Amino acid sequence: LDTLESVLRSSGYLVVAFFYANAMGLALAGLGTSLIVATLAVVLIVRQLRTSISSDLTPSLNRQTPVIPVFSKSRLSDSLNFLWLRLSTRVFQQGPILVIGKMLNPEIVGIIGAFGKICEIINTPYLVIGNALMIRVNEIAKKGRHSLLVLWNTTLRIMSTALLFSAIIYLAAEPLASALLPTSTQAPKIFS
């Protein structure tokens, strides 16, 4: 679901950029992505609930896995905590942009958004690697100190390439802004 949402969002931006380059096109692309992802999420949840309910109803004499209730107070509490985390993260990231848009002008918000997308594209491989390492860190820790040292060595190598990309983006900010937003006079200064 997350992969589909990411692909649809990026595809929607491309459609807007090439065919409907206006605010309504952007709004429709966002709405379309949300509707498709929400529909798929409902389908996946219903399918999982049907599978869970049907497996609970089938008699089994030799059941090895305990039955976990689909809806419980702890799951609802965890879901609300994740919702709060998502909401607070969004407010933290997008709140300053809203303030900048109110204080200055929409062009600056667009320039900041363009730079944010560039950073997102560059960060994607690091996010994938970081998530993969994060999931496996407990398994690696069980293998011993040497495995943790190897993991730390790998992490430092990944961080060094990330720092290299950061330096390149910092040094190439003005030419990059001029190439991506040639009609904007403020983009090189803001990218820097």
Side-chain angles (χ1 to χ4, degrees):
L1 184 66
D2 191 39
T3 302
L4 177 75
E5 191 266 338
S6 179
V7 169
L8 283 176
R9 185 171 14 110
S10 299
S11 301
Y13 289 146
L14 289 174
V15 168
V16 169
F18 291 114
F19 301 110
Y20 304 107
N22 56 36
M24 182 58 80
L26 187 61
L28 289 174
L31 180 64
T33 299
S34 298
L35 288 175
I36 292 170
V37 170
T39 303
L40 181 62
V42 168
V43 168
L44 291 173
I45 289 171
V46 168
R47 192 175 83 185
Q48 184 64 34
L49 285 175
R50 283 185 182 160
T51 304
S52 177
I53 290 170
S54 67
S55 68
D56 289 346
L57 295 177
T58 56
S60 175
L61 299 174
N62 197 4
R63 185 176 294 217
Q64 294 181 3
T65 57
V67 176
I68 300 172
V70 177
F71 293 109
S72 66
K73 286 185 179 182
S74 65
R75 284 191 182 191
L76 290 175
S77 174
D78 288 344
S79 295
L80 289 174
N81 287 336
F82 279 114
L83 179 64
W84 173 247
L85 177 65
R86 177 79 171 177
L87 179 66
S88 61
T89 303
R90 280 291 181 181
V91 169
F92 178 75
Q93 290 174 341
Q94 303 301 325
I97 293 177
L98 291 173
V99 171
I100 289 170
K102 291 289 183 186
M103 291 175 60
L104 302 172
N105 61 25
E107 181 185 5
I108 293 176
V109 173
I111 293 168
I112 293 170
F115 188 75
K117 289 299 173 192
I118 292 168
C119 291
E120 188 177 310
I121 290 168
I122 292 171
N123 286 338
T124 299
Y126 297 106
L127 290 173
V128 170
I129 293 168
N131 287 337
L133 290 176
M134 181 177 60
I135 290 169
R136 306 245 355 226
V137 73
N138 289 330
E139 180 183 328
I140 293 169
K142 289 178 183 176
K143 291 185 178 183
R145 184 173 172 82
H146 177 71
S147 297
L148 282 175
L149 290 174
V150 171
L151 175 66
W152 185 245
N153 186 15
T154 304
T155 305
L156 287 176
R157 289 179 189 206
I158 293 168
M159 286 173 48
S160 66
T161 60
L163 290 173
L164 175 67
F165 273 123
S166 297
I168 290 171
I169 292 296
Y170 178 75
L171 295 173
E174 288 188 30
L176 184 64
S178 298
L180 291 175
L181 303 167
T183 58
S184 175
T185 58
Q186 295 179 336
K189 185 172 68 172
I190 293 173
F191 267 40
S192 296

